[in-house]
Amino acid sequence: MTVKQISATELHAKIQNEEPLLLLDVREPGEFQYAHIEGSVLIPLQQIPHRLSELNPQQPIVVICHHGMRSQQAAHYLVHSGFENISNLTGGIDAWSCQCDSAVPRY
């Protein structure tokens, strides 16, 4: 299976429509504290293998990082671990701040 890419504006629409997504942020705690999408869950990239049991393999998950690179790695790992509905936020939290919510600080 491949990892789907989702744009910030597509994600924004899904959130507005109250789709049952898990927003999985794989950045470090300091980054998350500084800027995150409301309702997202923090599991830093290095902790994903040890915390898979906290995630539902059937739930749609959108993986988020700063620019989309770490989240792409995490998304591939999840797909290879049997997760079925995984998307990577293209451009990460930076794209979210620029395109959807300017109240989210850029760094």
Side-chain angles (χ1 to χ4, degrees):
M1 283 190 65
T2 59
V3 173
K4 293 183 284 268
Q5 302 297 314
I6 186 171
S7 71
T9 53
E10 289 170 323
L11 176 58
H12 189 261
K14 288 179 179 289
I15 292 170
Q16 294 292 329
N17 292 333
E18 298 182 7
E19 292 187 28
L21 301 170
L22 173 66
L23 304 178
L24 176 61
D25 196 313
V26 298
R27 295 173 302 144
E28 293 301 310
E31 291 176 283
F32 183 83
Q33 187 174 3
Y34 185 74
H36 64 271
I37 299 172
E38 192 66 39
S40 56
V41 172
L42 175 65
I43 302 181
L45 179 62
Q46 302 304 321
Q47 295 179 20
I48 297 282
H50 310 290
R51 296 178 64 183
L52 278 181
S53 63
E54 297 175 35
L55 304 172
N56 177 348
Q58 278 76 48
Q59 182 177 25
I61 298 175
V62 177
V63 190
I64 301 162
C65 71
H66 189 196
H67 286 117
M69 303 304 286
R70 282 176 282 179
S71 54
Q72 182 71 23
Q73 289 179 331
H76 278 293
Y77 183 84
L78 291 171
V79 166
H80 290 295
S81 298
F83 288 74
E84 297 171 5
N85 195 345
I86 304 296
S87 299
N88 180 48
L89 177 59
T90 306
I93 193 79
D94 192 64
W96 178 265
S97 176
C98 291
Q99 299 170 19
C100 300
D101 186 357
S102 60
V104 174
R106 295 182 70 203
Y107 64 99

